[in-house]
Amino acid sequence: MSPTDSERRRFGVLHGPNLQLLGTREPEVYGRATLDDVNGALRDLAAELGVDLDFFQSNHEGALVDWLVEATPRVNGFLVNAAGLTHTSVVLRDALVGVGHPFVEVHMSNTAAREPFRHRSLLADRAAGVVYGFGLESYLLGLRGLVARFRS
Ligand code: CA2
């Protein structure tokens, strides 16, 4: 049985600073997929899983916070690649915790195998789960995890 429109889940996908550069530089770290490729693959998976997605990317911390708050009434959770803000932003952490939805943190690269400053996440201890190191696939695994959380 497929869910009715009112039962369908919607998730926000938040892309942090510089992720608009995906696919244009550092392919050895981030692969060759562009941000449009990532969003397209997420859209395809969302259709398969029967959920809806809203997307947002910004290079500005405040804009990311504003969008999280604005999106909160219409979504059930967030898929988050906060990029460099992952390692520095108390502001983004407070917003994610404050809006009260479950979120999954994802990273394209294996941050644990990179510079020490990337080993710390200010978000991970409040996340429903974390996926890193699988390139574009990190986002897809993260979405599967987020959706599964609502089905179990
Ligand atoms: O691996 C990830 O997904 C990161 O969130 C990417 C961030 C980095 O600061 C995190 O430590 C790990 C960087 C996003 C910028 O992406 C670029 C892509 C291509 C070229 C330059 C930057």
Side-chain angles (χ1 to χ4, degrees), residues 59-73:
N59 295 328
H60 305 279
E61 190 178 46
L64 293 166
V65 170
D66 286 347
W67 183 77
L68 281 173
V69 173
E70 184 265 318
T72 283

Side-chain angles (χ1 to χ4, degrees), residues 8 15 23 33 42 68 74 115 118 122 126 133 137 145 152:
R8 252 177 107 92
H15 301 290
L42 281 170
L68 281 173
R74 64 173 182 275
E115 304 96 319
R118 294 187 205 275
L122 294 190
R126 302 305 297 263
E137 197 68 32
S152 58

